[in-house]
Amino acid sequence: MEITNVSEYQEIAKQKLPKMVYDYYASGAEDQWTLHENRFAFTKILFRPRILIDVSKIDMTTTLLGFKISMPIMIAPTAMQKMAHPEGEYATARAASAAGTIMTLSSWATSSVEEVASTGPGIRFFQLYVYKDRNVVAQLVRRAERAGFKAIALTVDTPRLGRREADIKNRFTLPPFLTLKNFEGLDLGKMDKADDSGLASYVAGQIDRSLSWKDVKWLQTITTLPILVKGVLTAEDARIAVEAGAAGIIVSNHGARQLDYVPATIMALEEVVKAAQGRVPVFLDGGVRRGTDVFKALALGASGIFIGRPVVFSLAAEGEAGVRKVLSMLREEFELTMALSGCRSLKEITRDHIVTEWDSPHPRPAPRL
């Protein structure tokens, strides 16, 4: 069957992967309301296309934190990619590089920062979880710097792991032939079997619940890399992030895997963008499956978007070729959306190109009698 859109990879991944692995990638927290909403909320935004504009040339390039990329579509950090495919993060890194975009490597990757760097050139960010042992954190950040990673995406929404009931039912744990490669030498690379989710137990034992804004400051003392704060959903926290020296904000609800009944990220985006007041770029993570979704996020003020699940599902289905295809399909759909909306460059995408369910209705002239 020919794949014609990103979402079709999910069913293929479901058929190919062991249930424990597929459920780990696919599921959300508790009732999974936010998981559904991350997608559904995009349907509440409609286009106001402008016509008769010369769209024979369309430029999707953008510069983020000083790095020029081919399109505002980047790869979010997703853990343990070798559960999806033997090449795991290597394949994802090569696909991102070929597409001229950014890959974010998870702290909990099944390939190390050095291994991913060895795949060749590419702009890469490193997602960081803060462990109780700060020496581990400092060491990890230094290794990412040395391996040529260009920014740190600090995950701030996980003092504890969300309740992912599929993982509890499946007694999720990292398959025995894999390790969390970045922690292998620190005796933190293995995940013990547990009475519920092995990952939840690992997080409870290792991740620092006391993480606070002062740690964002501390991180700036140990690295010169720009720090993106990943997991912001409110104007209040956006303002604090800017004050704390964040170089950017990623609006994220952790793929709806942490606190259920938080809004879809596309619903939270505009509030965060307004609070940031253009002082730092704001990115959207969560729910993007179409080029139309990318356009909607940019129209609401995002500088770019990150995709997560589409990467692991396409990786499971077709390895590196699958991830390349996801990036190229989203790119082509986004380019088409721009053309049909009358936008030739990203700066031409404005709030006026969309109307949302939460906008005040445009006053309509009274009908003639």
Side-chain angles (χ1 to χ4, degrees):
M1 180 190 75
E2 188 188 355
I3 299 273
T4 55
N5 67 69
V6 165
S7 297
E8 287 173 345
Y9 277 118
Q10 181 160 355
E11 191 50 44
I12 299 171
K14 188 175 186 177
Q15 289 162 17
K16 282 186 88 158
L17 292 171
K19 181 174 163 48
M20 179 189 80
V21 172
Y22 173 78
D23 285 355
Y24 170 73
Y25 290 143
S27 66
E30 295 186 358
D31 298 330
Q32 304 191 113
W33 182 87
T34 299
L35 183 69
H36 173 258
E37 195 66 12
N38 266 358
R39 286 290 311 121
F40 181 67
F42 280 101
T43 68
K44 299 174 187 175
I45 304 168
L46 301 179
F47 293 122
R48 300 182 68 246
R50 301 302 307 275
I51 53 167
L52 293 175
I53 290 167
D54 175 356
V55 289
S56 52
K57 287 194 180 65
I58 291 204
D59 178 15
M60 287 180 285
T61 61
T62 186
T63 302
L64 299 176
L65 305 179
F67 302 104
K68 190 163 187 190
I69 54 176
S70 68
M71 57 182 175
I73 300 164
M74 299 165 283
I75 292 182
T78 50
M80 311 177 219
Q81 291 180 12
K82 282 187 180 176
M83 294 194 307
H85 187 275
E87 291 182 9
E89 294 85 1
Y90 287 77
T92 303
R94 289 192 295 258
S97 184
T101 194
I102 292 165
M103 172 201 183
T104 315
L105 183 71
S106 169
S107 276
W108 295 337
T110 38
S111 314
S112 67
V113 287
E114 294 83 5
E115 287 171 334
V116 169
S118 78
T119 62
I123 305 160
R124 301 186 185 105
F125 294 172
F126 181 70
Q127 176 272 332
L128 181 68
Y129 281 117
V130 176
Y131 280 58
K132 289 174 182 172
D133 183 344
R134 291 310 158 88
N135 293 326
V136 167
V137 178
Q139 210 176 319
L140 200 52
V141 168
R142 274 197 295 274
R143 281 172 57 197
E145 277 182 331
R146 276 203 302 270
F149 284 69
K150 300 299 187 208
I152 300 292
L154 175 68
T155 296
V156 294
D157 58 11
T158 313
R160 298 172 59 170
L161 203 70
R163 184 176 174 82
R164 307 168 190 176
E165 293 177 6
D167 291 349
I168 297 169
K169 285 186 169 68
N170 293 331
R171 302 281 185 265
F172 174 80
T173 190
L174 187 62
F177 55 91
L178 295 174
T179 60
L180 302 179
K181 260 298 204 298
N182 288 314
F183 300 97
E184 206 173 30
L186 301 160
D187 288 334
L188 296 169
K190 280 290 182 197
M191 204 176 289
D192 298 324
K193 279 235 183 294
D195 290 340
D196 49 12
S197 155
L199 183 63
S201 300
Y202 180 86
V203 168
Q206 301 300 339
I207 302 302
D208 192 348
R209 293 184 186 185
S210 77
L211 188 70
S212 70
W213 288 108
K214 71 178 187 323
D215 297 294
V216 178
K217 296 270 198 204
W218 168 74
L219 212 48
Q220 292 167 69
T221 68
I222 66 162
T223 182
T224 55
L225 294 180
I227 294 160
L228 305 172
V229 177
K230 178 175 183 282
V232 173
L233 291 170
T234 64
E236 296 90 328
D237 283 335
R239 283 190 282 270
I240 300 170
V242 172
E243 293 303 321
I249 291 168
I250 303 175
V251 175
S252 171
N253 53 34
H254 210 117
R257 296 158 74 80
Q258 283 300 102
L259 180 62
D260 201 11
Y261 297 98
V262 294
T265 47
I266 194 71
M267 298 288 280
L269 176 61
E270 198 164 25
E271 173 182 328
V272 172
V273 166
K274 283 176 176 166
Q277 294 181 317
R279 290 161 72 188
V280 299
V282 175
F283 305 99
L284 177 106
D285 165 62
V288 172
R289 299 291 180 274
R290 285 276 187 192
T292 49
D293 300 335
V294 180
F295 187 101
K296 289 171 184 181
L298 268 63
L300 286 168
S303 293
I305 65 93
F306 288 91
I307 52 166
R309 286 186 183 89
V311 172
V312 286
F313 292 149
S314 58
L315 188 61
E318 293 175 355
E320 181 185 336
V323 183
R324 283 182 183 234
K325 179 122 197 241
V326 156
L327 290 168
S328 78
M329 282 191 294
L330 284 174
R331 180 189 174 86
E332 284 165 22
E333 288 180 12
F334 178 52
E335 184 176 26
L336 182 60
T337 307
M338 285 178 68
L340 296 179
S341 296
C343 298
R344 294 162 293 197
S345 67
L346 302 192
K347 69 174 185 298
E348 289 188 354
I349 301 173
T350 70
R351 185 63 168 81
D352 290 334
H353 285 97
I354 57 165
V355 60
T356 72
E357 268 186 22
W358 56 93
D359 289 335
S360 53
H362 290 282
R364 291 172 184 249
R368 285 207 185 117
L369 294 174

